[in-house]
Amino acid sequence: MAEIIQEEKQKGGKKKPKKGSAHIDMTPMVDLMCLLLTFFMLTTAFSKPKIMEILLPEKIRKNEKVEPPKIAESRTLNIILGPEDKVYWYPGKADPASPPPLQETDFSATGIRQVLFDRNRALFKKIDDFQKKVISGEIEIKQDSVQAAIKQLKTDDDTGPIVLIKAYKTSKYKNFVDIIDEMSIVGIARYTFTDISWLEEGMVNTALGIAPPATAAK
Amino acid sequence: MPKIKLPTKSPHIDMTPMVDLFTLLLTFFILTATMRPQEPAPVDTPFSVSEKTILDANVMTVMLAADNRIFFNVDNGPDTILHFRPKILAEMGKRYNIEFTPAELRKFEKGNSAFGVPIQNMKTYLATNNLKDREAMEVGIPIDSLDNQLALWILFARQINPAVNTMIKGDANVEYPIVKEVLDILQDKNVNRFNLITNLEKIEVTQKITE
């Protein structure tokens, strides 16, 4: 209130306000602000880094008498991360007498993802059926819980492959992240990381050293 | 014919709207800017499709630089009153019979960035202010089985802050055996849930899979 009154008084008192607005030279201020603005624009990181969660099975200690879980050979898919972003895979179990041929592929959409998709077809059929039923109204479910239900289907799935991921000694961390990524894209519920065996290492060595016969078989 | 008199006043441009806009933008950028602590080594994280954003507190990070050095970082927890960092360092010092003064502990708390110094050199590391000297001391945390300091850091970090989440921030070109070793150390300490820090990548899953 006090201020307003004062203002009025001033207006009343001064009959002739000064002509010509008082210009303040704002150039230095603008300069400074330009500088600061540029600085903050360049230093701001808009995208926060993302995280990818992985859960590994508990390690079996040497002195513990726990049998490692047994898995069906028919459902097993072995993936070996090779050097230079190569991926090798073979199904089932490696027999030392006649090692199975390694299939070579890569991280592209038609590479390892296709292999995993093919193996996981049953699950995707289930998801597709589920979605169709939701659309046709056979299953009544809230719109926002559809995704959660699909996720549940993926985790409950027990027909899909069990993927054992191994890494050759010269593979990179990038490959490790990529393969986990593929797992989540394809919706593989069961996968783990195991140590590469000498046999598999030898198989990769042959695939690398000599012209790989595995690629021709593909 | 009378000549038109040009105004002698210097042409003033009204900069007020511009200043207004600048102030607005500047305020926005200042407020959104998050000061990231300086990292001791450049780490190019790989890309993934994961969309979870990184946590702000209760985080311990194992950093794997491209030259295979290992760094460790732990935060003070959700509240700086908790002083997790100096407590962890004090525990670590006790294990190695190194007495850290309160001043050193305070400096360690304030540092807040990742470190890759063996505990034996920590005192000299904290005493130096020169960035170049500090960088020379960052040789990585030893992880060999004789003197596995990373395991102890993880152990104490978890003892002091049980709610801590494990993050692994690796350079895309780190070789897998190093990653494997770090994972083994973590699993030895019963950490089975990790978060890998990645950058977001857009992948279009347009393929028709089900026919």
Side-chain angles (χ1 to χ4, degrees), chain B residues 7-203:
Chain B
T8 45
K9 251 200 314 183
S10 61
H12 261 300
I13 308 163
D14 189 13
M15 278 197 253
T16 331
M18 182 170 141
V19 173
D20 284 0
L21 188 74
F22 271 21
T23 327
L24 211 74
L25 280 175
L26 189 59
T27 324
F28 170 74
F29 278 108
I30 290 178
L31 292 181
T32 51
T34 40
M35 280 299 145
R36 271 182 302 177
Q38 215 187 348
E39 307 227 301
V43 170
D44 275 335
T45 48
F47 292 94
S48 83
V49 291
S50 175
E51 281 179 2
K52 268 173 95 181
T53 40
I54 193 164
L55 301 165
D56 288 327
N58 285 334
V59 167
M60 70 172 168
T61 316
V62 181
M63 253 175 70
L64 311 167
D67 49 4
N68 294 344
R69 283 182 300 169
I70 293 173
F71 296 87
F72 184 74
N73 194 11
V74 66
D75 73 339
N76 267 319
D79 198 336
T80 37
I81 300 167
L82 295 168
H83 299 300
F84 285 142
R85 265 174 82 93
K87 276 185 205 159
I88 293 163
L89 181 66
E91 280 293 320
M92 198 67 189
K94 241 183 258 166
R95 175 63 69 98
Y96 281 87
N97 291 324
I98 302 167
E99 182 87 42
F100 288 102
T101 61
E104 281 168 335
L105 291 177
R106 222 171 302 128
K107 197 163 182 194
F108 182 74
E109 185 185 349
K110 280 200 184 138
N112 217 15
S113 64
F115 52 90
V117 194
I119 191 76
Q120 292 86 352
N121 297 343
M122 191 52 105
K123 251 184 184 306
T124 38
Y125 174 77
L126 287 173
T128 41
N129 281 321
N130 191 338
L131 275 177
K132 273 220 173 101
D133 290 347
R134 279 194 156 202
E135 218 166 274
M137 267 183 250
E138 309 258 16
V139 290
I141 292 171
I143 55 160
D144 46 79
S145 50
L146 273 177
D147 184 21
N148 197 338
Q149 290 182 11
L150 182 67
L152 289 172
W153 280 111
I154 292 164
L155 177 72
F156 292 134
R158 272 163 61 82
Q159 268 177 8
I160 291 186
N161 181 7
V164 76
N165 288 294
T166 314
M167 305 275 166
I168 297 174
K169 185 176 187 179
D171 192 280
N173 287 323
V174 174
E175 297 209 328
Y176 183 75
I178 310 272
V179 182
K180 176 83 195 154
E181 258 176 80
V182 170
L183 290 185
D184 276 345
I185 290 169
L186 283 165
Q187 289 213 295
D188 273 336
K189 296 280 165 257
N190 285 327
V191 184
N192 289 317
R193 185 185 284 273
F194 322 105
N195 296 296
L196 308 179
I197 297 181
T198 54
N199 276 326
L200 186 62
E201 172 188 42
K202 285 261 182 305
I203 284 191

Side-chain angles (χ1 to χ4, degrees), chain A residues 198-216:
Chain A
W198 61 270
L199 180 67
E200 284 157 334
E201 214 162 289
M203 279 153 66
V204 176
N205 280 339
T206 30
L208 281 174
I210 322 154
T215 37

Side-chain angles (χ1 to χ4, degrees), chain A residues 74-217:
Chain A
S74 56
R75 282 178 62 195
T76 315
L77 182 72
N78 296 273
I79 294 179
I80 305 173
L81 308 172
E84 287 152 26
D85 297 341
K86 281 182 194 138
V87 191
Y88 301 96
W89 65 275
Y90 70 92
K93 200 176 136 199
D95 184 13
S98 60
L102 278 181
Q103 315 277 333
E104 190 186 319
T105 173
D106 52 23
F107 282 109
S108 66
T110 50
I112 192 75
R113 197 177 305 162
Q114 198 57 51
V115 174
L116 292 167
F117 266 139
D118 288 345
R119 306 244 152 200
N120 221 5
R121 209 169 270 271
L123 171 68
F124 279 96
K125 191 144 176 26
K126 223 191 269 174
I127 291 174
D128 207 38
D129 283 348
F130 174 75
Q131 275 173 330
K132 268 183 199 151
K133 274 184 191 163
V134 170
I135 293 165
S136 62
E138 259 180 77
I139 301 174
E140 280 203 14
I141 190 164
K142 274 192 190 142
Q143 196 59 44
D144 31 330
S145 51
V146 170
Q147 281 307 318
I150 287 174
K151 213 173 174 190
Q152 192 58 42
L153 273 181
K154 279 184 183 174
T155 37
D156 289 349
D157 173 53
D158 54 357
T159 51
I162 299 167
V163 182
L164 302 178
I165 301 166
K166 293 136 200 209
Y168 189 67
K169 56 194 173 213
T170 53
S171 62
K172 301 278 198 263
Y173 175 65
K174 187 173 62 193
N175 306 136
F176 175 72
V177 172
D178 283 344
I179 200 79
I180 306 171
D181 230 18
E182 293 299 324
M183 294 298 146
S184 66
I185 292 172
V186 187
I188 305 272
R190 283 163 183 76
Y191 62 89
T192 189
F193 300 92
T194 50
D195 290 332
I196 189 163
S197 67
W198 61 270
L199 180 67
E200 284 157 334
E201 214 162 289
M203 279 153 66
V204 176
N205 280 339
T206 30
L208 281 174
I210 322 154
T215 37

